[in-house]
Amino acid sequence: MPTSHRSDYDELGELLLDIGVMLMVSGANTERIKITVERIANAFACVPDLLITNHALMLTLTYPDSNKVFTSVKWMPGMHLNFNLISDISTMSWQIVLEKWSVARIAEELKMLNRKPLYPRYLVLLLVALAGASFCRLFGGNLTEMLAVFVASFCGLYVRQEAIKLKFNFYVSIFFAAATAALVAGVYFHFHPDEVYSHAFSTSVLFLIPGVPMIHAISDLMDGHTLNGIVRGVNVMIMAFAIALGLTVALVAYKF
Amino acid sequence: MNTLLFLEKGIWLGCAAIGFAVLFNVPRRTLGTIFVIAALGGLLKIGLLQQGAVAALATLAGAALIGLLSVLAAHQRKAPPMIFAIPAVIPMIPGFFAYQAMVGMIELTVEKDPVIYSKIFFATVNNGLSAFFVMLALSVGVAIPMLISRKQTIKRLQPDENLEVEME
């Protein structure tokens, strides 16, 4: 049945693109996307050639008879970090190799993984706020300062989530969040000028630091994906600039 | 008392890592491991700093420990190492250096007196470079153990009849 095989391979190509995009959006580094897509394609005796950029993924799949190929490009939607999905896809890729899954089964499993529930929103807000307070303590803050950072981080993250929901520009959302967090953190110290404000003020925006792109920038550069590494690095700098701008708003507002 | 203060920092390091882990949606089963890894790596850094080590080198050691433990934890908890490593190194981010460098830059744009200017300039460049090198040390420290351990995984990728389920 050569015809049914062909359509099966075409679906495999689409599926591999979907998997690659899901990995990138969830915050995987370039090498991991390449390895995972290669692993699944090799399980079907196909050879993938991948072009991975931060905004689009291009795949050419050479079939086992090597006289027909599949080529397609897929754009990336906005980033939405989800390490759980990366872990699940990694596990799945090994199961595909070992248990010789069909394309239909992979598609079904992928749909199920994508629907897995995340952490409840308020739990995330509370734990991130606690992380902010922990930072404050690590940098030498006392209980009052920790409390200020807790409230500030909570409000800042809330504003960022809402701004992204309202489809604001990604960097503008970060700016809003940084400004909110710094303004909230500064309120108490504005009315108590004798107390040290710098611990609370500097740690209130730390929940915004782009840790994932920062580490991936270096790991991509070390893996030889120079272009992707540079793009991620520049991205980190723009985010840092947005955070700095948000802090400046509060610095000027309170005349610290 | 000093030891107690030292250990208390471990708790805050762990809490900070858990906050980011939840923000990145890590699998629930990895949360406890992330707490421990973050605390151990961060305490190594703080301990080295107390012994008088340079910030960037202390961070490199702490991040490398986190990278190493993440590779080990990956096999135990069946998840890729980066899932443990990235939330765990975030508490080591040089937030205070970066903040002071930023405030310094704002001050430089308004300062006119050359004597004060050179003083602020010195402090700003010093803080900025410290922040930059500590961040570089963080990323490199985490990447090294993963790059070393990846060799094994590539070996297993080659066609092998007895291929065992192995998370990389």
Side-chain angles (χ1 to χ4, degrees), chain A residues 26-29 31-32 35-36 39 80-88 90-91 94 97-98 118-120 123-124 127-128 130-131 133-135 137-139 146 157 160-161 197-199 201-202 206-209 211-212 214-216 218-219 222-223 243-245 247-248 251, chain B residues 5 8-13 15-29 31 46 78-87 89-96 99 102-103 106 135-136 138-140 142-144 147 150 153-154 156-157 163-168:
Chain A
S26 308
N29 60 356
E31 190 68 16
R32 171 163 297 277
I35 288 176
T36 308
R39 186 184 299 153
H80 188 271
L81 292 178
N82 187 348
F83 282 11
N84 201 6
L85 195 60
I86 297 176
S87 172
D88 285 343
S90 169
T91 313
W94 283 110
V97 174
L98 286 172
L118 307 171
Y119 293 95
L123 183 72
V124 175
L127 285 174
V128 170
L130 178 67
S134 310
F135 269 124
R137 179 73 195 156
L138 285 171
F139 288 129
M146 282 171 72
L157 186 61
R160 191 178 77 164
Q161 287 175 343
Y197 66 87
S198 58
H199 296 303
F201 206 65
S202 61
L206 278 188
F207 70 94
L208 289 166
I209 32 172
V212 177
M214 192 183 85
I215 288 163
H216 285 344
I218 304 287
S219 65
M222 288 173 97
D223 285 329
I243 297 172
L245 218 58
L247 266 176
T248 313
L251 275 175
Chain B
L5 268 175
E8 186 214 336
K9 284 204 167 133
I11 295 172
W12 297 119
L13 286 163
C15 286
I18 290 296
F20 279 90
V22 171
L23 195 62
F24 302 156
N25 280 309
V26 303
R28 206 160 290 184
R29 62 177 189 280
L31 282 177
I46 294 169
K78 305 278 175 236
M82 54 159 276
I83 286 179
F84 302 94
I86 293 179
V89 293
I90 283 187
M92 286 200 239
I93 293 244
F96 208 64
Y99 168 77
M102 191 213 82
V103 172
I106 296 170
M135 277 194 245
L136 211 63
L138 268 186
S139 316
V140 173
V142 165
I144 289 170
L147 286 176
R150 198 176 280 160
T153 321
I154 290 168
R156 290 208 178 88
L157 272 178
L163 189 76
E164 37 176 270
V165 181
E166 193 69 60
M167 302 302 140
E168 41 133 339

Side-chain angles (χ1 to χ4, degrees), chain B residues 12-159:
Chain B
W12 297 119
L13 286 163
C15 286
I18 290 296
F20 279 90
V22 171
L23 195 62
F24 302 156
N25 280 309
V26 303
R28 206 160 290 184
R29 62 177 189 280
T30 60
L31 282 177
T33 319
I34 290 172
F35 188 97
V36 175
I37 292 177
L40 290 176
L43 286 180
L44 177 65
K45 178 196 169 182
I46 294 169
L48 285 175
L49 280 179
Q50 283 176 353
Q51 301 298 316
V54 187
L57 282 180
T59 310
L60 188 69
L65 179 66
I66 286 176
L68 190 72
L69 291 174
S70 304
V71 172
L72 297 177
H75 293 269
Q76 288 271 314
R77 291 263 174 273
K78 305 278 175 236
M82 54 159 276
I83 286 179
F84 302 94
I86 293 179
V89 293
I90 283 187
M92 286 200 239
I93 293 244
F96 208 64
F97 281 137
Y99 168 77
Q100 282 179 325
M102 191 213 82
V103 172
M105 270 186 255
I106 296 170
E107 281 173 359
L108 283 181
T109 57
V110 288
E111 189 55 58
K112 290 282 184 283
D113 186 346
V115 178
I116 305 175
Y117 189 94
S118 58
K119 241 184 216 162
I120 300 175
F121 186 78
F122 179 81
T124 304
V125 171
N126 197 357
N127 285 324
L129 282 178
S130 298
F132 179 73
F133 280 114
V134 170
M135 277 194 245
L136 211 63
L138 268 186
S139 316
V140 173
V142 165
I144 289 170
M146 281 192 230
L147 286 176
I148 293 170
S149 69
R150 198 176 280 160
K151 255 192 188 152
Q152 284 183 319
T153 321
I154 290 168
K155 211 164 31 186
R156 290 208 178 88
L157 272 178
Q158 265 132 33

Side-chain angles (χ1 to χ4, degrees), chain A residues 6 20 26 36-37 46 63 89 102 104 107 112 114 128 157 185 210 249:
Chain A
R6 280 283 153 76
S26 308
T36 308
V37 170
C46 294
Y63 301 154
I89 290 178
S102 67
M112 217 183 69
N114 216 359
V128 170
L157 186 61
V249 168

Side-chain angles (χ1 to χ4, degrees), chain A residues 13-143:
Chain A
E14 302 276 355
L15 207 60
L16 288 176
L17 274 177
D18 278 345
I19 291 175
V21 167
M22 275 163 86
L23 283 173
M24 183 62 129
V25 167
S26 308
N29 60 356
T30 309
E31 190 68 16
R32 171 163 297 277
I33 299 170
K34 205 176 128 216
I35 288 176
T36 308
V37 170
E38 262 174 14
R39 186 184 299 153
I40 298 174
N42 290 343
F44 290 87
C46 294
V47 180
D49 290 297
L50 259 181
L51 174 66
I52 304 168
T53 73
N54 268 41
H55 271 301
L57 202 67
M58 189 167 129
L59 171 75
T60 293
L61 203 59
T62 310
Y63 301 154
D65 53 16
S66 49
N67 58 8
K68 187 172 182 296
V69 288
F70 165 94
T71 300
S72 192
V73 181
K74 195 175 169 82
W75 283 93
M76 308 267 178
M79 286 293 266
H80 188 271
L81 292 178
N82 187 348
F83 282 11
N84 201 6
L85 195 60
I86 297 176
S87 172
D88 285 343
I89 290 178
S90 169
T91 313
M92 186 182 78
S93 72
W94 283 110
Q95 283 175 324
I96 291 168
V97 174
L98 286 172
E99 298 165 11
K100 306 258 178 287
W101 286 14
S102 67
V103 174
R105 174 144 186 228
I106 301 172
E108 214 172 279
E109 178 81 6
L110 213 56
K111 251 187 230 156
M112 217 183 69
L113 291 184
N114 216 359
R115 250 188 273 127
K116 261 195 179 175
L118 307 171
Y119 293 95
R121 186 178 176 190
Y122 280 92
L123 183 72
V124 175
L125 281 167
L126 283 174
L127 285 174
V128 170
L130 178 67
S134 310
F135 269 124
C136 185
R137 179 73 195 156
L138 285 171
F139 288 129
N142 60 23
L143 207 63

